[in-house]
PDB file of all heavy atoms in Angstrom:
ATOM      1  N   LEU A 105      96.862 114.241  97.463  1.00  0.00           N
ATOM      2  CA  LEU A 105      96.344 113.490  96.325  1.00  0.00           C
ATOM      3  C   LEU A 105      96.093 114.415  95.139  1.00  0.00           C
ATOM      4  O   LEU A 105      96.078 115.647  95.263  1.00  0.00           O
ATOM      5  CB  LEU A 105      95.061 112.749  96.706  1.00  0.00           C
ATOM      6  CG  LEU A 105      93.870 113.585  97.208  1.00  0.00           C
ATOM      7  CD1 LEU A 105      93.009 114.068  96.045  1.00  0.00           C
ATOM      8  CD2 LEU A 105      93.007 112.771  98.178  1.00  0.00           C
ATOM      9  N   LEU A 106      95.906 113.775  93.991  1.00  0.00           N
ATOM     10  CA  LEU A 106      95.472 114.467  92.783  1.00  0.00           C
ATOM     11  C   LEU A 106      94.113 113.921  92.397  1.00  0.00           C
ATOM     12  O   LEU A 106      93.866 112.718  92.511  1.00  0.00           O
ATOM     13  CB  LEU A 106      96.461 114.241  91.644  1.00  0.00           C
ATOM     14  CG  LEU A 106      97.831 114.908  91.789  1.00  0.00           C
ATOM     15  CD1 LEU A 106      98.827 114.290  90.817  1.00  0.00           C
ATOM     16  CD2 LEU A 106      97.728 116.416  91.542  1.00  0.00           C
ATOM     17  N   SER A 107      93.214 114.776  91.947  1.00  0.00           N
ATOM     18  CA  SER A 107      91.908 114.317  91.486  1.00  0.00           C
ATOM     19  C   SER A 107      91.709 114.763  90.041  1.00  0.00           C
ATOM     20  O   SER A 107      92.148 115.840  89.642  1.00  0.00           O
ATOM     21  CB  SER A 107      90.790 114.850  92.376  1.00  0.00           C
ATOM     22  OG  SER A 107      90.767 116.261  92.370  1.00  0.00           O
ATOM     23  N   PHE A 108      91.043 113.893  89.279  1.00  0.00           N
ATOM     24  CA  PHE A 108      90.840 114.129  87.856  1.00  0.00           C
ATOM     25  C   PHE A 108      89.359 114.010  87.516  1.00  0.00           C
ATOM     26  O   PHE A 108      88.678 113.101  88.011  1.00  0.00           O
ATOM     27  CB  PHE A 108      91.656 113.132  87.029  1.00  0.00           C
ATOM     28  CG  PHE A 108      93.125 113.179  87.336  1.00  0.00           C
ATOM     29  CD1 PHE A 108      93.699 112.297  88.249  1.00  0.00           C
ATOM     30  CD2 PHE A 108      93.930 114.124  86.732  1.00  0.00           C
ATOM     31  CE1 PHE A 108      95.047 112.353  88.549  1.00  0.00           C
ATOM     32  CE2 PHE A 108      95.291 114.190  87.024  1.00  0.00           C
ATOM     33  CZ  PHE A 108      95.853 113.301  87.930  1.00  0.00           C
ATOM     34  N   PRO A 109      88.823 114.901  86.672  1.00  0.00           N
ATOM     35  CA  PRO A 109      87.391 114.896  86.362  1.00  0.00           C
ATOM     36  C   PRO A 109      86.963 113.606  85.675  1.00  0.00           C
ATOM     37  O   PRO A 109      87.717 113.026  84.881  1.00  0.00           O
ATOM     38  CB  PRO A 109      87.223 116.098  85.432  1.00  0.00           C
ATOM     39  CG  PRO A 109      88.585 116.396  84.907  1.00  0.00           C
ATOM     40  CD  PRO A 109      89.543 115.985  85.975  1.00  0.00           C
ATOM     41  N   PHE A 110      85.746 113.153  85.978  1.00  0.00           N
ATOM     42  CA  PHE A 110      85.273 111.850  85.521  1.00  0.00           C
ATOM     43  C   PHE A 110      85.253 111.722  84.003  1.00  0.00           C
ATOM     44  O   PHE A 110      85.483 110.645  83.452  1.00  0.00           O
ATOM     45  CB  PHE A 110      83.889 111.544  86.104  1.00  0.00           C
ATOM     46  CG  PHE A 110      82.760 112.292  85.472  1.00  0.00           C
ATOM     47  CD1 PHE A 110      82.035 111.734  84.439  1.00  0.00           C
ATOM     48  CD2 PHE A 110      82.408 113.562  85.913  1.00  0.00           C
ATOM     49  CE1 PHE A 110      80.983 112.420  83.851  1.00  0.00           C
ATOM     50  CE2 PHE A 110      81.369 114.264  85.322  1.00  0.00           C
ATOM     51  CZ  PHE A 110      80.655 113.682  84.289  1.00  0.00           C
ATOM     52  N   GLU A 111      84.984 112.815  83.282  1.00  0.00           N
ATOM     53  CA  GLU A 111      84.920 112.709  81.825  1.00  0.00           C
ATOM     54  C   GLU A 111      86.291 112.391  81.212  1.00  0.00           C
ATOM     55  O   GLU A 111      86.387 111.747  80.160  1.00  0.00           O
ATOM     56  CB  GLU A 111      84.348 113.987  81.207  1.00  0.00           C
ATOM     57  CG  GLU A 111      85.157 115.247  81.439  1.00  0.00           C
ATOM     58  CD  GLU A 111      84.727 116.010  82.684  1.00  0.00           C
ATOM     59  OE1 GLU A 111      84.030 115.400  83.530  1.00  0.00           O
ATOM     60  OE2 GLU A 111      85.071 117.196  82.796  1.00  0.00           O
ATOM     61  N   LYS A 112      87.359 112.801  81.901  1.00  0.00           N
ATOM     62  CA  LYS A 112      88.702 112.502  81.419  1.00  0.00           C
ATOM     63  C   LYS A 112      89.074 111.045  81.690  1.00  0.00           C
ATOM     64  O   LYS A 112      89.840 110.442  80.935  1.00  0.00           O
ATOM     65  CB  LYS A 112      89.725 113.439  82.073  1.00  0.00           C
ATOM     66  CG  LYS A 112      89.625 114.867  81.576  1.00  0.00           C
ATOM     67  CD  LYS A 112      89.908 114.930  80.087  1.00  0.00           C
ATOM     68  CE  LYS A 112      89.560 116.268  79.496  1.00  0.00           C
ATOM     69  NZ  LYS A 112      89.771 116.304  78.026  1.00  0.00           N
ATOM     70  N   VAL A 113      88.551 110.477  82.758  1.00  0.00           N
ATOM     71  CA  VAL A 113      88.813 109.073  83.087  1.00  0.00           C
ATOM     72  C   VAL A 113      88.406 108.180  81.924  1.00  0.00           C
ATOM     73  O   VAL A 113      89.157 107.283  81.508  1.00  0.00           O
ATOM     74  CB  VAL A 113      88.052 108.675  84.368  1.00  0.00           C
ATOM     75  CG1 VAL A 113      88.150 107.161  84.589  1.00  0.00           C
ATOM     76  CG2 VAL A 113      88.616 109.422  85.575  1.00  0.00           C
ATOM     77  N   GLU A 114      87.222 108.423  81.373  1.00  0.00           N
ATOM     78  CA  GLU A 114      86.732 107.619  80.253  1.00  0.00           C
ATOM     79  C   GLU A 114      87.494 107.940  78.969  1.00  0.00           C
ATOM     80  O   GLU A 114      87.859 107.035  78.212  1.00  0.00           O
ATOM     81  CB  GLU A 114      85.242 107.866  80.053  1.00  0.00           C
ATOM     82  CG  GLU A 114      84.605 106.985  79.007  1.00  0.00           C
ATOM     83  CD  GLU A 114      83.099 107.106  78.975  1.00  0.00           C
ATOM     84  OE1 GLU A 114      82.562 108.046  79.596  1.00  0.00           O
ATOM     85  OE2 GLU A 114      82.456 106.252  78.341  1.00  0.00           O
ATOM     86  N   GLU A 115      87.743 109.200  78.720  1.00  0.00           N
ATOM     87  CA  GLU A 115      88.457 109.604  77.503  1.00  0.00           C
ATOM     88  C   GLU A 115      89.859 109.007  77.465  1.00  0.00           C
ATOM     89  O   GLU A 115      90.308 108.498  76.420  1.00  0.00           O
ATOM     90  CB  GLU A 115      88.540 111.123  77.447  1.00  0.00           C
ATOM     91  CG  GLU A 115      89.304 111.668  76.246  1.00  0.00           C
ATOM     92  CD  GLU A 115      89.461 113.189  76.306  1.00  0.00           C
ATOM     93  OE1 GLU A 115      88.500 113.869  76.733  1.00  0.00           O
ATOM     94  OE2 GLU A 115      90.539 113.684  75.938  1.00  0.00           O
ATOM     95  N   TRP A 116      90.569 109.057  78.607  1.00  0.00           N
ATOM     96  CA  TRP A 116      91.932 108.537  78.654  1.00  0.00           C
ATOM     97  C   TRP A 116      91.988 107.025  78.485  1.00  0.00           C
ATOM     98  O   TRP A 116      92.982 106.494  78.024  1.00  0.00           O
ATOM     99  CB  TRP A 116      92.590 108.957  79.959  1.00  0.00           C
ATOM    100  CG  TRP A 116      92.836 110.439  80.070  1.00  0.00           C
ATOM    101  CD1 TRP A 116      92.802 111.355  79.053  1.00  0.00           C
ATOM    102  CD2 TRP A 116      93.136 111.179  81.255  1.00  0.00           C
ATOM    103  NE1 TRP A 116      93.071 112.621  79.532  1.00  0.00           N
ATOM    104  CE2 TRP A 116      93.271 112.547  80.870  1.00  0.00           C
ATOM    105  CE3 TRP A 116      93.302 110.833  82.594  1.00  0.00           C
ATOM    106  CZ2 TRP A 116      93.575 113.546  81.799  1.00  0.00           C
ATOM    107  CZ3 TRP A 116      93.601 111.829  83.513  1.00  0.00           C
ATOM    108  CH2 TRP A 116      93.736 113.171  83.119  1.00  0.00           C
ATOM    109  N   MET A 117      90.911 106.325  78.857  1.00  0.00           N
ATOM    110  CA  MET A 117      90.859 104.874  78.661  1.00  0.00           C
ATOM    111  C   MET A 117      91.022 104.522  77.181  1.00  0.00           C
ATOM    112  O   MET A 117      91.639 103.515  76.834  1.00  0.00           O
ATOM    113  CB  MET A 117      89.535 104.327  79.177  1.00  0.00           C
ATOM    114  CG  MET A 117      89.429 104.198  80.686  1.00  0.00           C
ATOM    115  SD  MET A 117      90.284 102.744  81.312  1.00  0.00           S
ATOM    116  CE  MET A 117      89.145 101.455  80.773  1.00  0.00           C
ATOM    117  N   CYS A 118      90.452 105.332  76.313  1.00  0.00           N
ATOM    118  CA  CYS A 118      90.515 105.075  74.863  1.00  0.00           C
ATOM    119  C   CYS A 118      91.776 105.674  74.249  1.00  0.00           C
ATOM    120  O   CYS A 118      92.273 105.167  73.232  1.00  0.00           O
ATOM    121  CB  CYS A 118      89.291 105.667  74.168  1.00  0.00           C
ATOM    122  SG  CYS A 118      87.720 105.011  74.758  1.00  0.00           S
ATOM    123  N   LYS A 119      92.299 106.709  74.856  1.00  0.00           N
ATOM    124  CA  LYS A 119      93.380 107.498  74.243  1.00  0.00           C
ATOM    125  C   LYS A 119      94.777 107.052  74.653  1.00  0.00           C
ATOM    126  O   LYS A 119      95.715 107.120  73.850  1.00  0.00           O
ATOM    127  CB  LYS A 119      93.167 108.967  74.625  1.00  0.00           C
ATOM    128  CG  LYS A 119      93.979 109.956  73.824  1.00  0.00           C
ATOM    129  CD  LYS A 119      93.544 111.379  74.184  1.00  0.00           C
ATOM    130  CE  LYS A 119      94.323 112.415  73.413  1.00  0.00           C
ATOM    131  NZ  LYS A 119      93.904 113.798  73.769  1.00  0.00           N
ATOM    132  N   PHE A 120      94.923 106.563  75.908  1.00  0.00           N
ATOM    133  CA  PHE A 120      96.259 106.241  76.426  1.00  0.00           C
ATOM    134  C   PHE A 120      96.288 104.818  76.994  1.00  0.00           C
ATOM    135  O   PHE A 120      95.570 104.517  77.947  1.00  0.00           O
ATOM    136  CB  PHE A 120      96.670 107.233  77.517  1.00  0.00           C
ATOM    137  CG  PHE A 120      96.735 108.656  77.059  1.00  0.00           C
ATOM    138  CD1 PHE A 120      95.752 109.558  77.433  1.00  0.00           C
ATOM    139  CD2 PHE A 120      97.770 109.098  76.250  1.00  0.00           C
ATOM    140  CE1 PHE A 120      95.792 110.883  77.023  1.00  0.00           C
ATOM    141  CE2 PHE A 120      97.829 110.425  75.825  1.00  0.00           C
ATOM    142  CZ  PHE A 120      96.833 111.316  76.208  1.00  0.00           C
ATOM    143  N   ASN A 121      97.140 103.980  76.422  1.00  0.00           N
ATOM    144  CA  ASN A 121      97.223 102.594  76.871  1.00  0.00           C
ATOM    145  C   ASN A 121      97.719 102.496  78.308  1.00  0.00           C
ATOM    146  O   ASN A 121      97.263 101.634  79.066  1.00  0.00           O
ATOM    147  CB  ASN A 121      98.151 101.797  75.952  1.00  0.00           C
ATOM    148  CG  ASN A 121      98.135 100.320  76.276  1.00  0.00           C
ATOM    149  OD1 ASN A 121      97.105  99.657  76.170  1.00  0.00           O
ATOM    150  ND2 ASN A 121      99.281  99.788  76.686  1.00  0.00           N
ATOM    151  N   THR A 122      98.644 103.378  78.701  1.00  0.00           N
ATOM    152  CA  THR A 122      99.170 103.311  80.074  1.00  0.00           C
ATOM    153  C   THR A 122      98.076 103.596  81.100  1.00  0.00           C
ATOM    154  O   THR A 122      98.081 103.040  82.195  1.00  0.00           O
ATOM    155  CB  THR A 122     100.341 104.297  80.275  1.00  0.00           C
ATOM    156  OG1 THR A 122      99.902 105.622  79.916  1.00  0.00           O
ATOM    157  CG2 THR A 122     101.542 103.900  79.451  1.00  0.00           C
ATOM    158  N   TRP A 123      97.147 104.497  80.744  1.00  0.00           N
ATOM    159  CA  TRP A 123      96.033 104.785  81.655  1.00  0.00           C
ATOM    160  C   TRP A 123      95.093 103.587  81.745  1.00  0.00           C
ATOM    161  O   TRP A 123      94.633 103.229  82.829  1.00  0.00           O
ATOM    162  CB  TRP A 123      95.283 106.029  81.196  1.00  0.00           C
ATOM    163  CG  TRP A 123      94.114 106.375  82.078  1.00  0.00           C
ATOM    164  CD1 TRP A 123      92.802 106.135  81.833  1.00  0.00           C
ATOM    165  CD2 TRP A 123      94.160 106.990  83.371  1.00  0.00           C
ATOM    166  NE1 TRP A 123      92.017 106.566  82.875  1.00  0.00           N
ATOM    167  CE2 TRP A 123      92.827 107.102  83.831  1.00  0.00           C
ATOM    168  CE3 TRP A 123      95.210 107.472  84.164  1.00  0.00           C
ATOM    169  CZ2 TRP A 123      92.522 107.669  85.065  1.00  0.00           C
ATOM    170  CZ3 TRP A 123      94.892 108.045  85.394  1.00  0.00           C
ATOM    171  CH2 TRP A 123      93.569 108.133  85.834  1.00  0.00           C
TER     172      TRP A 123
END
Side-chain angles (χ1 to χ4, degrees):
L105 59 87
L106 291 164
S107 60
F108 303 96
F110 75 94
E111 62 268 17
K112 289 298 169 183
V113 171
E114 186 172 13
E115 178 185 321
W116 293 345
M117 283 282 287
C118 301
K119 194 173 180 180
F120 300 106
N121 187 62
T122 55
W123 179 258

